[in-house]
Amino acid sequence: MQKISGSSINLLVRIWTLWICTVLFVSRVIGQILVEFFDVKFLPPSSEWYSGIISYPILLLFQVAIIMLMLRVSTDLTTGTGRFSSLSIGTAKKLRIFGIIYLFAMVLRYIVRMYIYPEERWTGGCIPIFFHWVLAAFVLVCCKFRRS
């Protein structure tokens, strides 16, 4: 039986985490499409899926672009080839700083929302916030793939 090293396990966990984040975000976008265009009743209403700061068609374009980027990054890091297969130490550091700030901002957004809307405490309006956490996790995992 072949022994698997700790670094191999860490690599597998990071790769699986990227793909899980990607699948979660794709599921979120599909869920919102079902609500917006097909009026499904088994999912939360449209108002729960986004803040409305930008119109839904523009938001959808950004979401599709993010999905395409996530798929490319996940594929490159899984295969170890391609533009995103290895980050410089400087890029990894910048991504880590961005990911931490992004995650912190979304945690703060959740706390403020729960303070302003206590009647919606713990789940009201949280779909966008939760998926921002997913995107922040994706960024933070990506910064672990770096050149020595």
Side-chain angles (χ1 to χ4, degrees), residues 14-127:
R14 288 194 302 260
I15 289 170
W16 273 98
T17 303
L18 290 176
W19 284 106
I20 289 168
C21 288
T22 302
V23 167
L24 285 171
F25 191 69
V26 168
S27 300
R28 179 249 194 271
V29 174
I30 291 171
Q32 190 170 5
I33 288 170
L34 290 173
V35 169
E36 287 290 326
F37 299 115
F38 299 100
D39 199 33
V40 298
K41 300 297 181 200
F42 63 89
L43 291 171
S46 181
S47 61
E48 294 290 321
W49 289 87
Y50 74 112
S51 63
I53 292 173
I54 60 175
S55 68
Y56 180 66
I58 294 171
L59 175 66
L60 183 58
L61 286 174
F62 281 112
Q63 289 172 332
V64 169
I66 291 168
I67 289 168
M68 290 171 53
L69 180 62
M70 290 175 82
L71 289 169
R72 177 65 188 265
V73 169
S74 297
T75 301
D76 285 2
L77 293 173
T78 300
T79 62
T81 61
R83 166 177 260 156
F84 300 103
S85 64
S86 181
L87 302 173
S88 70
I89 292 171
T91 301
K93 186 176 182 178
K94 289 173 187 167
L95 271 177
R96 185 173 57 252
I97 291 167
F98 171 75
I100 290 168
I101 292 170
Y102 183 28
L103 182 59
F104 178 76
M106 290 303 111
V107 169
L108 187 60
R109 177 181 173 187
Y110 176 78
I111 291 168
V112 168
R113 180 166 179 78
M114 292 305 103
Y115 179 77
I116 293 172
Y117 302 105
E119 68 280 0
E120 294 183 4
R121 189 158 288 146
W122 298 102
T123 57
C126 292
I127 293 171

